[in-house]
Structure formats: C-alpha cells, structure tokens
Amino acid sequence: MVTLWFVLLGALFAGYFALAGADYGTALLLRTAPPGRRREVLAATGPFFLGNEVWLVAAVGVMFGAFPRLEGELLSALYPVLVLVLAALVAFTAAVQLRSRLGDGGKAGWDALIFGGAAVVALGWGVFLGALLAGLPLDAAGHRTGSIFSPVVVLSAPAFTALVAAHGAVFLRWRSTVDVRRLVVPLTRLAAGLVALVVVAAVVLVDGVEPLVALPGAAAVIGLVLAGGVLRPALAAACTAAACGLPVLVIGAARWPVALASTGDPAGALTVAEGAAGPATLSVLVWFAALVVPLVLAFQGMCWWAYRDRRPVFW
C-alpha cells in the first residue's frame, strides 16, 4: 500500500511538471515576442492553464494525507525555497489572469511579473529537485543543519529552467502562430547539455545514487535533441513534456526506499515507509484517490479534447 501511494505521488508530481512546464516555458519566452503578439503566446497554454495546476494541488493533497511526516520534514528543510515558489506561483497566476482584464495600460508591468514569476518558479523547482537528488544536511533528529546547496543543486536550478524553456519553445511551435523556430534548437541543446551535467554530477558526486540513473537521463537528453530538430511538433512536445516529468521518477527510483536522504547524520534519513501514514489511514485514503484521480484525468482529457485545434484561443 505504501509503495502504491508513493508511485501515485510521483506520478502526480511528474504530470504537474510535464504539463505546467509548458506554462512556465512559454512565459519565459513571452518577452521574445513583439508586444502586440504576446497575447498569442499566453493563449497557447490558456485553455489548459488552470487544469495543469490541478496536478500540483492533487500531489500536495496526497502528500499531506498519505505522507504527513515526509511533508513535515520537506517543509522544515526546504521552507525558504517552497515559500518563494509559492509566492512566485501566486504572482505568476494572478498576472496571467489579470493581464487581459485591466485594459492596455500597464501590460509591460504584467509581462515582467509573468516572466519573473515563471523564472522564480522554474529555478525554485530546480533547487527542490536537486536537493532531493543530492540529499539534505540533516542531523539525527531530521533537522537541517547546513546549506542545501551543493554542485548538483547549483546545476539543477538552471537545468530545470532551461528544460521548461525548451518545452515552452517546442509547445509554441506546435500550438501557436508565433514564430519561435529560431529558439527551439538552441534551447533544446542547452537543456540537453545541462541535464547531462546534472546526471553526471549526481552519479560521480552523490553517495547512494546508482549509475543506472544515467539511463533515463540519457533518454531525456536524446528526446530533447530529437525534439529540437527532427520530430514533428506534436511528438516533439510530447518528448519535452516527458523530459520535464522524468526528474521526479529518476529521483524516486535513484533513492528508493529512501524518501529524504541525509548528507549529514545517516540517522536523519527518512524512508518511504517511515514518512507514510498508518495502514488504516492509507486504506481510507484509497477512496479519496478513487474519486480525485479519475476527476483530474477526466478534466485534463476534456480540456485537451475541447481545444484539440492548434489555433490559439485569445483570452
């Protein structure tokens, strides 16, 4: 039961990064478009924008209910990063919603807030993922005792940002009339290079990370390279989306059965079983999952079916 819930948690986070990564990626490229065409950039993800965020809400709900100790330890150890991500996410979402509803005045300011919010969210999630991969400086009681930054974390932040930017460029090539073809190849190559560096650094520098992690890392790099110059737009977007979701699955597999690794006192590490709720709670939560997960999938499928036409919807 614990394993199944952990897999569900990973799948929800991976789905969030794969889908919402397009939102953040297109926002990072917003200011490359002429001012008069920036609405088209936002319109590319407009129909899916709020639906993509539902995956994060569902993932946090699963963590809160099924892994309360893990949720508490993560919030304690990564509190500044997660608060910054949350604040940037709120600002980014509000700016996207308000930009076209308050007239033409001040759109440059909203554009700056959209770009800045997306950049902070992408960098913050990169730090978060890198810290989970590299481990945290925890004492025997599980409390953080030092800086979370290490070579892997420092590389992960720009790598994930480049990854979502590449995803945004490929997504715009597929779903928008804004010409971003000149950005697709350099961004996908930059993301591929940085992802490869993170994988190599994790295998060489981090204790407990198996070399087999290089296999899905190599798959992500190959997918990014192919998406940049070979594949058709829809398939290329699927590849970059998969590359955005892969880090969650890679970290879960690389650290299993440890949910929170410690680079300090080994006693501070938290296993998946230790971070989970009791069997009775997990059994009750099965009904929650049976209701929420199909609703999330159905809502997402409905949005994609309703807006399957690639033409942008102006909103």
Side-chain angles (χ1 to χ4, degrees), residues 16 20-29 53 56 89 92 118 121-122 125 164-165:
Y16 163 67
D23 300 335
Y24 309 138
T26 54
L28 289 174
L29 303 179
E53 305 299 328
L56 178 60
L89 187 57
F92 167 71
V121 170
W125 282 127
V164 298

Side-chain angles (χ1 to χ4, degrees), residues 7 40 48 58 65 69 85 140 144 158 167 175 180 193 201 205 218-219 227 231 247 265 276 282 295 309:
V7 170
E40 296 180 49
F48 320 111
R69 186 178 173 189
V85 168
R144 182 165 63 86
H167 185 27
R175 294 283 305 183
V180 294
L205 300 177
L231 301 177
D265 193 322
L282 294 180
L295 284 176
D309 193 329

Side-chain angles (χ1 to χ4, degrees), residues 88-309:
L89 187 57
V90 170
F92 167 71
T93 304
V96 170
Q97 297 293 320
L98 293 173
R99 183 184 186 274
S100 298
R101 289 169 169 76
L102 298 179
D104 293 332
K107 281 190 175 180
W110 292 116
D111 291 345
L113 187 57
I114 290 170
F115 172 81
V120 172
V121 170
L123 287 167
W125 282 127
V127 170
F128 175 81
L129 293 170
L132 289 182
L133 180 60
L136 296 168
L138 305 175
D139 60 18
H143 301 143
R144 182 165 63 86
T145 58
S147 173
I148 65 171
F149 291 97
S150 66
V152 172
V153 176
V154 171
L155 285 171
S156 295
F160 190 75
T161 304
L163 188 56
V164 298
H167 185 27
V170 172
F171 191 86
L172 285 173
R173 186 179 65 173
W174 173 38
R175 294 283 305 183
S176 174
T177 58
V178 178
D179 188 3
V180 294
R181 287 174 294 180
R182 70 188 187 282
L183 300 175
V184 170
V185 172
L187 283 174
T188 50
R189 288 179 178 175
L190 174 63
L194 289 174
V195 168
L197 282 176
V198 171
V199 172
V200 171
V203 173
V204 173
L205 300 177
V206 180
D207 293 333
V209 173
E210 297 293 334
L212 288 176
V213 171
L215 295 179
V221 169
I222 293 171
L224 287 166
V225 172
L226 292 176
V230 178
L231 301 177
R232 292 186 176 184
L235 186 55
C239 285
T240 52
C244 288
L246 267 177
V248 178
L249 307 182
V250 168
I251 293 168
R255 286 300 190 180
W256 178 263
V258 175
L260 202 58
S262 173
T263 58
D265 193 322
L270 186 69
T271 66
V272 174
E274 291 169 343
T281 301
L282 294 180
S283 298
V284 171
L285 288 176
V286 167
W287 297 102
F288 168 81
L291 174 65
V292 172
V293 173
L295 284 176
V296 171
L297 294 175
F299 180 77
Q300 200 76 48
M302 178 192 69
C303 287
W304 280 96
W305 176 256
Y307 295 98
R308 60 192 179 276
D309 193 329

